[in-house]
Amino acid sequence: MNRTMKSRAFKTTIVAAAVMGVVGVAQARDQIRIVGSSTVYPFASYVTEEFGAVTEYPTPVIESTGSGGGIRLFCNGVGEGTPDISNASRRIKSSELERCEENGVTDVTEVKIGSDGIVFAQSSENESMDLTLEQLFLAVAAQVPQDGELVDNPYQKWSDIDSSLPDREISIYGPPTTSGTRDAFEELVMEAASSEMNVYGEEGYTDIRADGAYIDAGENDNLIVQRLSEDTDAFGIFGYSFLVENQEALSASSIGGVEPEAEAISAGDYPIARSLWFYVKNQHAQDVPPLYDYVEMFVSEEMIGEGGYLTDLGLIPLLESEREQTREKVEERVSLQASDLK
């Protein structure tokens, strides 16, 4: 079946399900509200547009607030004025789930949708670079080792870190502290590299320099991409999907000799890989009738499966067994417990 025929068949199924779902239901609100991750945003935006096009419900409202900002809004409480879903490019923290519960958000389903890699990219006008995690860490850390002690980062050029690297100023556009991409970068790069250096101790080190070499570029990853086309000496940190969408304009660095490609990310060979999620407020399901129609569309094979629509946007599919587990959790509306996060 070609892609057009598959899409028509999919739409017919969803329309029928939506019509059946609204019969006899008193709708308190029929427009879903979604917040959260800028990395998940392109995938969720595709699903919201498809949902609005093929069902009787209005297109959901979606806002890119960053993972942390989205979860904060999601956990503010239940009812009017609070979102139904929060997208996240990292898993919810135990402290965040505890805050949810304190505010009455006591029934949340966690939905894992796929994998993603964090890329370190530059304008395609430049020659590609291969970096180690340690070199990347030394470029962004607030303090670095010098003669067995920690000092304020003195590295101004890449060649200051290693003479084999370009003689270019270190200038990096990256995500803010509210971003799940920033959280993942701190864990997968900062902690991973610094834990191998005795001077930082066992906990690792995640403080990022604030002397202008690292530039907080906000939650919109598209803006980082645009800036790299203007500032061709700079690098940017963002999700793999934005690389896929801008392959002609961008050149991604390999990390430890491994290119950020779908197969390497899926296999766990690429060092900066992570999972993508969203969280559903089940207490809104009764008053927001389309909520689970949308969730079921998102986790369908047509969206997140091998060859699904979202893979064209850069989503890296989960294994078939994991996708089945995701759909089972959605079908049963499994409530996330604090013990699940340990």
Side-chain angles (χ1 to χ4, degrees):
M1 182 181 296
N2 64 35
R3 193 174 190 79
T4 300
M5 293 176 63
K6 185 171 78 168
S7 179
R8 288 173 180 169
F10 180 48
K11 291 181 179 181
T12 301
T13 302
I14 292 297
V15 169
V19 172
M20 291 177 64
V22 298
V23 175
V25 177
Q27 298 182 24
R29 171 162 60 86
D30 62 359
Q31 190 169 42
I32 303 165
R33 297 173 182 170
I34 306 167
V35 294
S37 166
S38 62
T39 301
V40 179
Y41 182 85
F43 308 126
S45 290
Y46 183 94
V47 181
T48 61
E49 292 298 324
E50 187 78 355
F51 189 78
V54 305
T55 74
E56 300 301 315
Y57 298 117
T59 301
V61 175
I62 182 170
E63 184 180 1
S64 177
T65 61
S67 297
I71 291 172
R72 190 176 305 111
L73 292 168
F74 182 83
C75 291
N76 276 344
V78 175
E80 190 68 22
T82 65
D84 310 304
I85 291 173
S86 185
N87 300 322
S89 57
R90 48 89 172 164
R91 202 174 192 190
I92 194 171
K93 300 174 183 177
S94 296
S95 59
E96 292 169 328
L97 184 61
E98 182 178 348
R99 180 175 175 274
C100 264
E101 293 171 347
E102 290 172 352
N103 290 333
V105 184
T106 56
D107 188 2
V108 174
T109 292
E110 179 182 66
V111 183
K112 187 177 180 181
I113 62 168
S115 300
D116 180 47
I118 297 174
V119 301
F120 190 71
Q122 60 180 325
S123 167
S124 57
E125 294 181 13
N126 301 306
E127 291 186 12
S128 59
M129 282 175 57
D130 178 47
L131 293 167
T132 66
L133 286 180
E134 180 180 352
Q135 289 169 337
L136 186 49
F137 170 82
L138 293 175
V140 299
Q143 292 194 315
V144 299
Q146 294 274 301
D147 299 323
E149 297 182 356
L150 289 177
V151 300
D152 291 343
N153 196 326
Y155 303 128
Q156 299 302 311
K157 296 183 176 181
W158 289 98
S159 55
D160 294 338
I161 297 172
D162 190 305
S163 60
S164 66
L165 297 177
D167 187 32
R168 283 164 51 189
E169 296 288 334
I170 297 173
S171 181
I172 301 167
Y173 292 101
T177 54
T178 53
S179 169
T181 301
R182 170 75 167 256
D183 289 335
F185 182 83
E186 290 178 357
E187 176 185 351
L188 299 173
V189 175
M190 304 292 286
E191 288 184 11
S194 59
S195 64
E196 300 295 321
M197 306 177 192
N198 293 334
V199 69
Y200 290 108
E202 295 182 0
E203 296 298 319
Y205 182 82
T206 60
D207 291 353
I208 290 180
R209 62 195 300 179
D211 60 355
Y214 182 95
I215 304 157
D216 183 330
E219 294 289 356
N220 189 340
D221 287 356
N222 279 315
L223 292 180
I224 299 180
V225 172
Q226 291 174 15
R227 290 183 181 184
L228 295 183
S229 66
E230 300 164 358
D231 184 358
T232 56
D233 284 339
F235 285 83
I237 299 170
F238 43 82
Y240 171 75
S241 63
F242 290 89
L243 176 66
V244 172
E245 291 293 300
N246 298 276
Q247 293 185 62
E248 293 184 2
L250 299 176
S251 170
S253 301
S254 55
I255 305 296
V258 182
E259 299 284 348
E261 297 175 341
E263 186 175 342
I265 294 170
S266 179
D269 295 331
Y270 181 68
I272 322 178
R274 40 110 181 244
S275 298
L276 301 179
W277 317 76
F278 66 81
Y279 294 87
V280 186
K281 192 176 294 180
N282 291 328
Q283 289 150 284
H284 281 191
Q286 182 173 349
D287 291 332
V288 186
L291 183 56
Y292 263 86
D293 288 336
Y294 167 84
V295 173
E296 289 168 4
M297 175 187 278
F298 204 135
V299 302
S300 66
E301 277 295 285
E302 287 83 355
M303 288 294 174
I304 67 170
E306 296 283 350
Y309 298 125
L310 301 187
T311 62
D312 289 343
L313 300 179
L315 183 72
I316 298 167
L318 301 169
L319 296 174
E320 183 177 0
S321 59
E322 287 187 284
R323 298 198 301 272
E324 290 175 357
Q325 289 173 6
T326 289
R327 283 188 280 273
E328 287 175 6
K329 288 175 68 174
V330 165
E331 183 178 354
E332 298 173 10
R333 302 188 185 184
V334 175
S335 187
L336 180 66
Q337 305 299 314
S339 57
D340 298 329
L341 301 174
K342 295 180 180 178

